């Protein structure tokens, strides 16, 4: 790959915004960032005054474009990872569901094998696995299958981790269930324990944090609500900055004002924009499968037959657009909730998550409406001029 320069872009970095700056790309890496117009002989990619952001990192995403991580299909993972570039996602955690041991292990083995063989220039990179269940509360299953809910044990989690070739980075769990304390104490240095699908009290959440829990899965959904005498999971998440917090910013899973409240409570440093997308993302309305359960997709909503929300069909760029609208904040503050926070949590921020010299050239160029125009993956340019 020959070196080239991205010119004429509004570049968002950890130290500030460069208006009409330029970025040197060589061998898949960012080699230099400068303000002002480029004066040189290298080939250029004109950003046309648009916004140059770090590639999005989606840490909770089951599937999309007709595919699901639980399908245990290498071909499906390839199609999914390739399609994600169109929404600016350059890295993601393949997210599993509460299913049988056999199905979970098959999915984990497939993800691990595929991840080891990926082409990091032509598709979004699998940065690990988010194990969402089966170690959740049967009282807050949401769209998970209650028939397969289990109690956590160190041995079972190690079995899953071995199948995944140690790619499990985040695990959603209910801290109040039997076995949760022991697994959290023994494994919290290896896995990010994320509180979700839970009926935990405020006190139980606090105890879990003291033992090493760091994260809240899709805030407001499938958890104990806030009340003035029992703050619940929501109150604990708002109050404790040791808890980094995911939110599905589609305006359906949570009211826009609730999203804004969470953002202002957590700040742009403890907030993760996620999609929690299922296979119907990028697909027409109709019937789809999620964890062996039938899902009806109509408009912007995906629901089980009982009316429960079944993940989303949200794209990352759409979530960022919504977040700007809901909070009134701008890209200078909000860019990091799509990339840097996630990279820091996953301990990959030496290579990803922000625009800095020496990091991977994983970038996305969007217009003022946050429509993806170009995604750059390890220096390779993917144009989406006609995508909305």
């Amino acid at each position: 790959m020959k070196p080239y320069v991205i010119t004429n872009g509004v570049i968002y970095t950890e130290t500030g915004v460069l208006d009409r700056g330029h970025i040197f790309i060589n061998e898949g890496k960012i080699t230099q960032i400068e303000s002002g117009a480029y004066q040189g002989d290298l080939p250029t990619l004109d950003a046309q005054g648009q916004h140059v952001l770090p590639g999005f990192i989606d840490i909770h995403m089951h599937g999309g474009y007709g595919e699901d991580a639980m399908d245990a299909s290498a071909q499906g993972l390839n199609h999914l990872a390739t399609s994600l570039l169109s929404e600016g996602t350059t890295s993601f955690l393949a997210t599993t569901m509460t299913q049988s041991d056999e199905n979970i292990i098959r999915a984990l083995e497939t993800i691990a094998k595929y991840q080891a063989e990926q082409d990091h220039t032509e598709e979004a990179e699998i940065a690990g696995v988010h194990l969402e269940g089966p170690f959740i509360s049967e009282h807050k299953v949401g769209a998970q299958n209650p028939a397969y809910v289990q109690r956590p044990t160190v041995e079972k989690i190690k079995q899953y981790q071995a199948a995944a070739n140690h790619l499990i980075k985040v695990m959603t769990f209910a801290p109040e269930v039997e076995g949760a304390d022991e697994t959290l104490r023994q494994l919290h240095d290896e896995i990010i324990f994320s509180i979700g699908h839970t009926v935990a009290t405020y006190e139980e959440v606090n105890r879990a944090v003291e033992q090493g829990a760091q994260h809240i899965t899709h805030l407001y959904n499938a958890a104990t609500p806030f009340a003035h005498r029992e703050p619940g999971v929501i109150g604990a998440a708002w109050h404790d900055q040791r808890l980094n917090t995911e939110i599905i910013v589609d305006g359906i899973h949570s009211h826009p004002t609730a999203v804004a409240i969470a953002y202002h409570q957590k700040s742009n440093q403890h907030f993760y924009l996620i999609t929690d997308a299922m296979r119907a993302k990028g697909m027409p309305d109709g019937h789809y499968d999620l964890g062996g359960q039938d899902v009806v997709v109509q408009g912007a909503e995906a629901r089980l037959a009982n009316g429960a929300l079944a993940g989303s069909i949200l794209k990352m760029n759409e979530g960022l657009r919504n977040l700007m609208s809901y909070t009134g904040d701008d890209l200078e503050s909000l860019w990091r909730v799509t990339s840097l926070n996630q990279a820091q949590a996953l301990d990959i921020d030496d290579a990803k998550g922000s625009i800095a010299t020496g990091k991977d050239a994983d970038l996305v160029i969007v217009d003022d409406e946050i429509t993806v125009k170009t995604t750059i993956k390890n220096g390779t340019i993917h144009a989406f001029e006609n995508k909305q």
Side-chain angles (χ1 to χ4, degrees), residues 213-228:
Q214 303 175 52
H215 193 147
I216 298 288
T217 295
H218 46 47
L219 185 69
Y220 300 124
N221 303 120
T224 44
F226 174 83
H228 64 291

Side-chain angles (χ1 to χ4, degrees), residues 34 207 224:
E34 298 289 344
R207 186 175 73 242
T224 44

Side-chain angles (χ1 to χ4, degrees), residues 26-349:
N26 190 23
E27 298 296 330
K29 300 287 186 180
I30 298 167
T31 59
Q32 195 173 340
I33 305 164
E34 298 289 344
S35 59
Y38 172 63
Q39 306 289 335
D41 299 325
L42 289 175
T44 60
L45 171 64
D46 187 354
Q48 301 178 344
Q50 295 170 337
H51 309 280
V52 185
L53 306 172
F56 304 143
I57 302 174
D58 193 350
I59 61 170
H60 188 154
M61 200 274 304
H62 297 275
Y65 309 97
E67 315 296 348
D68 190 293
M70 289 301 297
D71 293 344
S73 164
Q75 184 177 359
L77 288 171
N78 174 259
H79 182 231
L80 171 62
T82 302
S83 300
L84 287 172
L85 295 179
S86 68
E87 60 190 76
T89 297
T90 53
S91 297
F92 68 103
L93 294 187
T95 305
T96 59
M97 291 281 290
T98 300
Q99 285 195 21
S100 67
D101 269 355
E102 180 184 7
N103 285 348
I104 292 172
I105 289 171
R106 185 186 301 117
L108 293 174
E109 289 174 342
T110 303
I111 292 165
K113 185 175 186 296
Y114 185 77
Q115 189 263 359
E117 301 169 349
Q118 271 195 287
D119 182 343
H120 291 175
T121 65
E122 296 296 329
E123 55 191 278
E125 197 170 330
I126 298 176
V129 169
H130 183 153
L131 192 77
E132 190 184 16
F135 309 120
I136 59 176
S137 169
E138 59 272 25
H139 304 295
K140 285 287 185 181
V141 291
Q144 308 275 337
N145 192 329
Y148 297 114
V149 169
Q150 297 184 41
R151 295 297 180 246
T153 67
V154 172
E155 293 71 26
K156 178 60 69 176
I157 295 168
K158 286 184 175 180
Q159 181 188 12
Y160 286 164
Q161 190 67 293
N165 195 25
H166 297 275
L167 281 179
I168 297 172
K169 306 299 184 183
V170 177
M171 188 185 86
T172 294
F173 82 121
E176 75 278 10
V177 305
E178 181 183 357
D181 283 352
E182 181 65 18
T183 54
L184 177 57
R185 279 196 300 269
Q186 291 202 35
L187 298 174
H188 71 269
D189 287 335
E190 179 181 349
I191 296 171
I192 297 169
F193 280 73
S194 185
I195 297 168
H197 289 277
T198 174
V199 292
T201 64
Y202 177 77
E203 289 75 20
E204 287 169 329
V205 174
N206 288 339
R207 186 175 73 242
V209 173
E210 293 299 329
Q211 293 174 343
Q214 303 175 52
H215 193 147
I216 298 288
T217 295
H218 46 47
L219 185 69
Y220 300 124
N221 303 120
T224 44
F226 174 83
H228 64 291
R229 292 192 181 92
E230 173 44 63
V233 172
I234 309 306
W238 283 342
H239 179 67
D240 195 333
Q241 295 295 56
R242 292 174 295 179
L243 286 169
N244 296 315
T245 302
E246 302 177 353
I247 299 192
I248 308 165
V249 190
D250 62 356
I252 297 166
H253 281 78
S254 300
H255 190 280
T257 298
V259 172
I261 290 169
Y263 174 72
H264 292 303
Q265 290 292 114
K266 300 307 297 181
S267 82
N268 68 343
Q269 297 185 40
H270 300 282
F271 186 107
Y272 303 140
L273 195 160
I274 63 161
T275 66
D276 194 12
M278 50 86 71
R279 74 169 76 245
K281 171 165 66 172
M283 303 292 285
D285 287 358
H287 288 260
Y288 296 88
D289 168 84
L290 179 66
Q293 301 180 94
D294 185 55
V295 177
V296 177
V297 174
Q298 186 170 10
E301 297 186 12
R303 293 185 181 271
L304 299 180
N306 65 8
L309 286 167
S312 85
I313 55 173
L314 183 68
K315 298 177 181 179
M316 281 291 283
N317 67 305
E318 294 170 345
L320 179 56
R321 180 191 303 143
N322 291 341
L323 191 61
M324 293 174 69
S325 173
Y326 299 168
T327 65
D329 216 341
D330 57 23
L331 279 177
E332 186 171 359
S333 295
L334 290 174
W335 69 264
R336 63 175 294 148
V337 310
T338 63
S339 56
L340 182 58
N341 295 345
Q342 293 87 332
Q344 289 175 337
L346 298 174
D347 197 26
I348 57 174
D349 56 306

